[in-house]
Amino acid sequence: MDPLDPASFNLETVKLATGRLYECCDQIPSHYVHDETPVLLLLHGFPELWYDWRYQIGPWVRRGWRVIAPSMLGYSGTDKPDDPALYTPLSLAGELAGLLDALDIKQTVVLIAHDWGSTIAWAFATRYTERTRAIVSLSIPYTPPVPKSFTPQELVAIVGVDLMGYRLFFCSDDGPTKIQSNIPLFVDALYRTHNTMDPKIFGEGTVEKLMSGEIPYPGPSDLMSEKERKFQIETLERGGIDKPLNYFRQTPYTFKIQEELKLNPILPATLPALMIAPNFDPYSAPDRIEKSKAFVPSLEVTRVDGAHFVMLEKREEVTQI
């Protein structure tokens, strides 16, 4: 497996019992024993791909682990339903359980996730605790249950525009079209190291001004080679950005499924849980992580000097977890 060559990875299409199709990188190590060899389930975030794990997949497989990295719902070659209600974290946890069933994986799995993938991994561990061996979250702490239904705009007002203001543009009427019209700029603006990342990128209006040219172009991503960047951009252009934005539109539906399932929000103290927290990612702020420990009593934290896309910027440290 060559991180610079996507074709060197084993990419399959997996059909769930629901009929849903998932694009999935499934790498099986030599000396694999079904239901005995540890299984890692890697979950990407926004606007990412299974390919964002390219520097971890090979080394982890060579350690003797089976590694499964799907393209999440709405992305790349995976199905792209229109309904935002299908993109709630608990709904997507159900999708992942269906994916494991389709792959005939009955044993517990280690969840390793980033960004929205982390939010979904925490939801999976809550909904399917008996199928979870351990959880490793990059950048995003545990998300507690919501007390009621929120629109995206209400959620931004509660959490704060400095941290979530970008969501107003993502959920606007013209946001998806403006992003889709210039995917290269969008990728370059987000995929930055901590040395070049705009500290205001998460705030209200910054992404919109970048897309409209009111803020100068930051230059090509300093997290990727040109070959990697080209694959990222072309895959997002081909798959489209509108359905991935459903991850931000789904907030009004989260409370409904939460109430239907009535799950215990506190994870077992016996479940190993690790968070890799980049020092230059506001989502990994110490106070946010500390609050999450009420729901994840076993949580251990490793801090690294990096920005949001830590599995790329600090690829060696993440690979060695």
Side-chain angles (χ1 to χ4, degrees), residues 26 29 78 89 118 137 156 162 220 249:
D26 186 3
T78 294
S118 291
S137 174
V156 170
D162 289 343
R249 301 181 184 114

Side-chain angles (χ1 to χ4, degrees), residues 145-151 154 158 251-252 254-256 258-259:
V146 294
K148 70 181 192 71
S149 178
F150 294 111
T151 66
E154 289 170 335
I158 293 168
T251 53
T254 297
F255 183 71
K256 182 175 184 291
Q258 178 185 295
E259 288 299 289

Side-chain angles (χ1 to χ4, degrees), residues 216-229:
Y217 172 55
S221 168
D222 58 349
L223 272 177
M224 297 182 276
S225 69
E226 182 54 34
K227 186 175 182 180
E228 293 169 301
R229 177 179 174 271

Side-chain angles (χ1 to χ4, degrees), residues 195-209:
N195 295 313
T196 66
M197 182 190 71
D198 183 347
K200 297 180 180 178
I201 193 68
F202 296 111
E204 182 178 4
T206 302
V207 176
E208 186 172 8
K209 290 176 181 176

Side-chain angles (χ1 to χ4, degrees), residues 12-24 79 98-103:
E12 302 176 345
T13 298
V14 180
K15 187 174 184 178
L16 277 55
T18 59
R20 194 102 69 208
L21 297 178
Y22 269 73
E23 178 182 77
C24 189
D79 280 352
L99 176 64
L100 294 176
D101 290 342
L103 294 171

